[in-house]
């Protein structure tokens, strides 16, 4: 199976978000309200990935001084009832106890219908650079591991997740979050890190620079550079995840990181953490900011998609990739810039091989491609974009043709 695109009878698509935040760290809402939002919005699974913390133990917060303030408490009490909300007076300060994951998951989880996954955003740094690694389905908290460079910090945290997986036998995986946040992680850093198979190609937080700028590449351009260079080196590809990285649940606009902007659709036989993770590690998923795919198949040298049509919406699919033998000599440093800026790479990396309109696009490989992936672009504007003019998109995983 190349890139996880072969049809798999008995499996179905599951919608989930792997990166979001609550009052356990820097979100502005109680975790139960957040999980209720995702379940009500039609998601099948969600992972609350608070910074350097798990929702365990006894945690009381200042209700008025919290990010959500008394308004969040009022909504929380109205939705879940006064008997559920634990309050206390601490020398005149109204405090509320944050419910643990084990306490609140029973309100929402249903076999085959909805799943809550324990997660953490391991939040680390090197000097001024932010290095964040999500750990999905972990057992125990992983503290930031540190290191002597951006790559070393990434590597140490990735290895800590892998070490816990080996020690516990529980399926779990790390993924690199928002590499352009603070312009912290370059393509060279992503190429260098070992045993990491995932990163965020789309993040709905307006402050993480998903689109890049005049000096720095977008996360999608980063993806193509990493794919081409890793395959040229005979290494594994990196899969692209879409997330919303939600922090804000009360104000909805392009100045806030709201829920529902990006997610993954995973093709798995059952709604269980180990099945979701196995499918993702096989590349049997896609990222979306709105476009729904009914099918992805690679057979007989042809990559075929089936887009779920929406009335009045037009769809254009770009089949993107890099051919073997692309020029590597012009991978040079940006003149006058620091090493923290991605180097210049050939325009032959991340080429649009074909652009196809309609809901049944297909591309037949010629055989000299290193990989091919599909980006489906709709004409529909997002209801709550992270930037003005954003339209709904889907990104499939790369199908490897040659190494």
């Amino acid at each position: 199976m190349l890139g996880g695109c072969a049809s798999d009878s008995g499996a179905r698509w599951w919608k989930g978000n792997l990166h979001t935040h609550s009052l356990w760290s820097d979100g502005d809402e109680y975790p139960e309200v957040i999980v209720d939002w995702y379940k009500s919005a039609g998601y099948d699974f969600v992972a609350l990935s608070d910074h350097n913390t798990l929702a365990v133990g006894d945690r009381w917060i200042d209700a008025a001084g919290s990010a959500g303030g008394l308004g969040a408490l009022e909504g929380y009490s109205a939705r879940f009832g006064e008997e559920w909300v634990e309050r206390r007076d601490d020398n005149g300060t109204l405090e509320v106890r944050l419910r643990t994951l084990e306490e609140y998951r029973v309100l929402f989880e249903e076999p085959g219908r909805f799943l809550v996954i324990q997660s953490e955003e391991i939040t680390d740094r090197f000097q001024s650079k932010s290095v964040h690694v999500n750990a999905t389905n972990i057992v125990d908290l992983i503290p930031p591991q540190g290191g002597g460079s951006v790559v070393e910090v990434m590597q140490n945290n990735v290895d800590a997740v892998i070490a816990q997986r080996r020690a516990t036998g529980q399926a779990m995986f790390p993924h690199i979050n928002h590499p352009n946040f603070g312009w912290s992680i370059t393509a060279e850093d992503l190429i260098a890190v070992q045993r990491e198979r995932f990163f965020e190609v789309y993040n709905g937080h307006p402050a993480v620079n998903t689109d890049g700028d005049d000096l720095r590449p977008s996360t999608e351009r980063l993806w193509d550079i990493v794919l081409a260079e890793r395959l040229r080196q005979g290494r594994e590809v990196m899969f692209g995840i879409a997330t919303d990285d939600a922090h804000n649940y009360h104000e909805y606009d392009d100045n806030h990181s709201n829920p529902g902007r990006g997610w993954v659709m995973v093709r798995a036989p059952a709604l269980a953490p180990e099945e979701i993770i196995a499918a993702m590690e096989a590349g049997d998923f896609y990222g979306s900011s709105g476009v729904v795919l009914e099918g992805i198949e690679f057979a007989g040298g042809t990559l075929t998609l089936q887009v779920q049509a929406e009335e009045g919406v037009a769809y254009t699919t770009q089949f993107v990739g890099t051919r073997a033998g692309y020029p590597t000599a012009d991978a040079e440093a940006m003149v006058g810039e620091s090493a923290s800026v991605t180097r210049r790479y050939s325009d032959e990396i991340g080429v649009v091989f074909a652009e196809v309109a309609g809901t049944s696009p297909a591309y037949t490989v010629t055989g000299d491609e290193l990989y091919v992936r599909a980006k489906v672009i709709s004409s529909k504007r997002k209801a709550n974009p992270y930037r003005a003019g954003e339209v709904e998109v889907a990104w499939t995983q790369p199908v490897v043709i040659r190494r």
Side-chain angles (χ1 to χ4, degrees), residues 19-32:
H19 186 178
T20 194
H21 298 273
S22 76
L23 283 166
W24 276 92
S25 62
D26 61 345
D28 66 9
E29 188 56 274
Y30 293 87
E32 301 96 307

Side-chain angles (χ1 to χ4, degrees), residues 1 47 53 77 108 121 170 224 235 331 347 353 400:
M1 181 166 64
T53 190
S77 301
F108 306 102
E121 183 171 12
Q170 178 159 301
D224 284 307
R235 295 174 56 205
D347 290 339
F353 294 147
V400 177

Side-chain angles (χ1 to χ4, degrees), residues 118 136-139 164-172 273 277:
Q118 180 162 264
T136 297
N137 201 40
I138 60 172
V139 176
Q164 186 177 120
R165 177 173 181 162
R166 290 172 177 164
T168 63
Q170 178 159 301
M172 63 184 73
I277 291 169

